[in-house]
Structures are given as C-alpha cells and as structure tokens.
Amino acid sequence: AWISTSSRPREAEGPGRRGIAMIVSVHQPQYLPWLGYFDKIDRADVFVLLDTVQFKKNEWQNRNRIKTAQGPQWLTVPVTYRYPQRICEVGVNGRERWQHRQRQALATNYRRAPHWGSLEGLFEEVFSRSWETVAALNIHVVKRLAAILGIATPIHVASELGSFPEDPDERLIALTRHFGADTYLAGSGGRDYMDLAKYERAGVAVVFQDYRHPQYGQLYGAFESHLSVIDLIYNHGEASLPILRGMP
C-alpha cells in the first residue's frame, strides 16, 4: 500500500468568519466507511472518532457494502450488543467466521481489480487478529484507510480525551473547543437536529459538508455509488484521493 501526506487547503466560511479557520469534525467510528466519511476527515484539521455514544444496530457501525456482479453486498461484523451499550462497549462475536467469509467475498469480487494488492496489508491485519470490541476494529480500519488514501488529518478517539457533556450539541462544542478550534464541520444531515444557537453563543462557527459523490470506473457494469471506500481503492489505487476530492 502507498502512504502520502497530501492534503487539501482548508478554507471555511461560517457566520461572521472569512478565510482560514481551524476545523474540527466528529463522527462515530464506522466499518469500512464510504467516500463521504473520508471527505469529512480530509476537510478537517482534527477529526474525532466518537466511540462514547450509543451503538446503532443495523446501520454503518458494523457493516458496509461492496460491489459484486449481482449488485451491492453487505460485509457485516457480528456483534454482541445489549441495549443501550455505547460503541466502545460493544463486543465482536468471535464465534462466527465473519473474517473468513469477508476474505472470500473480497477475493471473489475484487481479485480482478486493477489495484487488488493495495489493501492486502490492511485486511491481513483485520482478518488475522481477534478483535474484542467493534470500536477497536473500526478505529484501526479508519486510521489505516485514511493513511492509505494519503489523508494527513490527525485522528483522535473520544474515549481517550476525557469526559464531555451528554447533550449532543454541547458535546460537539466541547470537543471543538478542546482542540482550540473555532469551527465545527457537520454532516449535511445536521441541519435537521442541531441547535445552531448553542454554537453561536459558544463562539463556534458551523459549516455543513456538501459532498458530491464522484463517478469512477468500477467492475461489473453500471456505476454504483455510496459503497465502501475500498471499492474506489481497489479500482484506482493512488488516484483514489484526487477522485474522492472530485478533482478532474
């Protein structure tokens, strides 16, 4: 796998701000995330993996999709979950042969991809280790994929940073200020639930991600979007980061 340190210029405009801002972004650790997740990391000066909030079953924290000749297929990590456990408390069910099944699925569907060897080291680590928690697995995967892509943003883990408020907005404000930053980069869906007045009172500007998914060459016919970023890497190798950034 390749590793580079290229990064995009980080300019943000928030309420009452212009020019360069120090940006923090926060997201739950996911398994083999999609392109937009890494765009969020790439656009931030600091990225925090929020492993201290409640685990959401049947979402993206223990599964993601790849492309096959029959259409998208889930790669799922089985978990031992008891409501309302936090992500950092949820165990991986080691009794199931999920690593063997996923290894076979990747080989079956990507062995003919132009950059099949790009992720060999990552998946050797993923499939040969015994993972105690889904958080530990996802943190490792996200950090390794960011490095493979060439994204240099420092990545921190919330549970290692200390205690923060339980209120979602106050938590994000506190995390932003923890790093001395003045801007929080939110996902596009944040407009529906964030109390922006709290950020304004705290002196934290909010900018929203507006990620436009690029099309790129894939195996198996018509383009399928919103897959795991590994689909992009297997098909485009070192060109993956410029494609993810939407560069011509």
Side-chain angles (χ1 to χ4, degrees):
W2 72 95
I3 297 178
S4 70
T5 57
S6 57
S7 61
R8 70 173 69 190
R10 297 185 179 105
E11 287 194 283
E13 292 211 9
R17 298 175 187 275
R18 292 182 182 177
I20 301 299
M22 183 172 179
I23 303 171
V24 166
S25 193
V26 179
H27 209 293
Q28 297 93 334
Q30 294 183 348
Y31 185 60
L32 304 175
W34 74 298
L35 279 65
Y37 190 101
F38 289 96
D39 173 76
K40 204 174 178 186
I41 300 175
D42 189 37
R43 290 181 181 274
D45 294 290
V46 175
F47 186 79
V48 179
L49 289 163
L50 188 61
D51 63 334
T52 54
V53 295
Q54 186 178 317
F55 178 81
K56 292 185 178 180
K57 193 175 181 181
N58 298 325
E59 289 201 7
W60 305 99
Q61 291 158 20
N62 68 314
R63 64 178 187 169
N64 224 298
R65 303 184 310 154
I66 61 171
K67 192 176 186 188
T68 78
Q70 292 75 42
Q73 174 182 324
W74 290 101
L75 297 184
T76 301
V77 178
V79 296
T80 55
Y81 167 64
R82 297 184 307 278
Y83 178 86
Q85 283 182 315
R86 299 172 187 256
I87 298 170
C88 57
E89 299 170 333
V90 174
V92 173
N93 187 348
R95 295 188 299 275
E96 297 193 27
R97 301 182 67 212
W98 65 273
Q99 290 158 303
H100 173 75
R101 291 195 297 270
Q102 289 190 21
R103 189 193 296 271
Q104 293 300 110
L106 293 175
T108 298
N109 295 292
Y110 289 107
R111 191 180 294 278
R112 291 180 294 162
H115 298 275
W116 163 244
S118 295
L119 298 175
E120 182 177 0
L122 167 65
F123 283 115
E124 183 58 34
E125 295 163 2
V126 170
F127 297 148
S128 63
R129 297 185 188 180
S130 177
W131 299 96
E132 184 175 343
T133 66
V134 71
L137 170 62
N138 290 354
I139 290 164
H140 181 80
V141 165
V142 168
K143 287 182 174 182
R144 286 283 280 116
L145 283 170
I148 289 167
L149 286 164
I151 296 172
T153 305
I155 299 174
H156 299 267
V157 180
S159 61
E160 299 172 358
L161 297 176
S163 299
F164 294 91
E166 287 296 318
D167 176 83
D169 291 306
E170 292 177 6
R171 180 193 296 123
L172 296 177
I173 290 167
L175 283 166
T176 301
R177 297 179 74 173
H178 177 84
F179 292 99
D182 56 6
T183 303
Y184 176 70
L185 172 62
S188 58
R191 291 183 177 92
D192 299 330
Y193 59 82
M194 294 173 68
D195 184 348
L196 296 181
K198 288 185 178 180
Y199 295 82
E200 186 175 3
R201 288 194 296 269
V204 173
V206 177
V207 293
F208 291 94
Q209 183 188 31
D210 181 23
Y211 188 63
R212 301 180 183 182
H213 199 298
Q215 288 202 20
Y216 56 87
Q218 293 176 323
L219 301 174
Y220 313 120
F223 180 74
E224 184 77 38
S225 70
H226 292 73
L227 302 174
S228 168
V229 74
I230 67 173
D231 181 79
L232 171 63
I233 296 171
Y234 276 136
N235 283 294
H236 292 278
E238 293 184 41
S240 295
L241 186 56
I243 292 171
L244 187 150
R245 289 174 171 173
M247 294 180 177

